[in-house]
Every structure is written in C-alpha cells, then in structure tokens.
Amino acid sequence: MRERWAAGEWHTGRMRNFVLVAFVEPVAEGQVFPRTQWPLHITLLRFDVDDAVAEQVAALAGPPAETALGAALTVAEDAGFGRNGSVPVSLVRPQPDLQALHGQLAAAVESAGGRILTPAHTRSGYRPHISHLHGRRLRPGDTLVLDRVALVDMAPDGDRTVRRILQLWSLPETGATRR
C-alpha cells in the first residue's frame, strides 16, 4: 500500500469522498468499476477526509476490519430506502460483529479528522442493508460470511464516474458463501 501513497495516487490535498464497504461479490484491490455498476455490498460508512490522511484511515480501519472477517450474516426482509422508499434493499439482520465494526470505523474516521456524511444513519441509526442492483440481490434468509471489507475512493483522480478499491481486507479463501 505504501507505494501507491508515495506515488501520489491518492494525494491531491483536498477533502474527498470515500466509503468503507463489505462486498458480497468478488472484488480485487485496485479494481475500478463504473459508479453505476457497484458489486453487491453492505455500506459500512461514507465519509469525507483530506486525502493526505486517507492512509491513516486505512491503517486505523484495518484491525477492526480484520477482526470482523468471518462473521456470519443473515439477510432479513426487503425494505425501501431513500426518498419515498424508492431504493429497494435487503436488510441485514442485526449482528454484533457487524455493528461493532461500523462503530469502530466511525471512530477511526473521526479520530483522523474525517467528516461522516450520514450521521443520522450512523451508530445507533445504522441499518445494514444490501441495495438491489440491476436485478442482482439477495433473498430473505440467505446467509453469507463477511469475507471482504474495502476502502473505496468515490472519485479516483477526480473522476466521479468510476470507483476504485484502494484497500481490501479479506479472508484467505475469498468468496461469499450463500446458503
């Protein structure tokens, strides 16, 4: 990771938007994808941070992310988020490891001087969910293992049309397990 930072890939000296997510579909560190083609994921935390300290956020996020890996998650009922409930999602049943990860990531971002973008949906207001994307979704009762957590740049090189996975913490045998 240090080489990317030293090469200036993440440095521009201004506040930028990042997100920490738990991917449900296979991904790779460094992967770039269009903003309209996200792999299925659980959003853990959206935040702005001066990119000069984004590496610090990654370092602080690593230990709690690695601790949470392997947690068993279960998909709950469908719901509608966003304005007028227009965004279809699958809720994730409350799970202590996932809630703890979310809280630890929020604390890490704040300690690095970051700004959490959705404070009403953070900590006690956090409702983990997986958005339905282009016909891809999970069903109530599906189970999966939290096996990959990532830090994603929401506008790499200033390009808001794509996303880049900057850091990926994963179990050795990556592959979401659904039963």
Side-chain angles (χ1 to χ4, degrees):
M1 183 167 95
R2 180 129 339 257
E3 294 77 32
R4 283 196 307 252
W5 292 95
E9 181 176 326
W10 297 354
H11 291 284
T12 61
R14 58 185 163 79
M15 291 293 273
R16 295 190 32 231
N17 186 239
F18 297 89
V19 64
L20 286 152
V21 302
F23 280 108
V24 175
E25 295 180 315
V27 295
E29 190 166 310
Q31 180 176 337
V32 176
F33 53 90
R35 71 180 180 142
T36 58
Q37 297 296 317
W38 274 88
L40 291 178
H41 64 280
I42 300 167
T43 299
L44 298 167
L45 190 69
R46 290 183 56 225
F47 63 97
D48 281 343
V49 66
D50 183 319
D51 58 5
V53 297
E55 182 179 12
Q56 181 182 356
V57 170
L60 293 169
E66 290 173 349
T67 298
L69 292 174
L73 306 175
T74 303
V75 177
E77 68 275 4
D78 290 344
F81 278 20
R83 176 171 260 162
N84 300 319
S86 62
V87 178
V89 303
S90 298
L91 296 176
V92 176
R93 285 196 186 131
Q95 204 280 355
D97 295 325
L98 185 62
Q99 190 65 39
L101 174 60
H102 166 76
Q104 291 165 336
L105 295 175
V109 166
E110 289 172 338
S111 74
R115 181 175 61 96
I116 294 173
L117 297 179
T118 54
H121 303 291
T122 303
R123 293 187 172 87
S124 65
Y126 179 59
R127 291 180 64 199
H129 63 279
I130 303 165
S131 297
H132 302 176
L133 301 168
H134 307 290
R136 298 179 347 264
R137 57 157 305 159
L138 297 181
R139 304 271 177 213
D142 283 352
T143 61
L144 57 131
V145 173
L146 189 134
D147 63 354
R148 51 182 90 73
V149 173
L151 173 63
V152 178
D153 186 339
M154 298 293 279
D157 303 318
D159 186 351
R160 296 189 179 281
T161 67
V162 297
R163 309 296 188 239
R164 178 183 295 138
I165 299 173
L166 297 176
Q167 180 74 40
L168 181 66
W169 300 274
S170 60
L171 291 176
E173 293 291 320
T174 304
T177 307
R178 288 187 218 157
R179 294 175 208 169

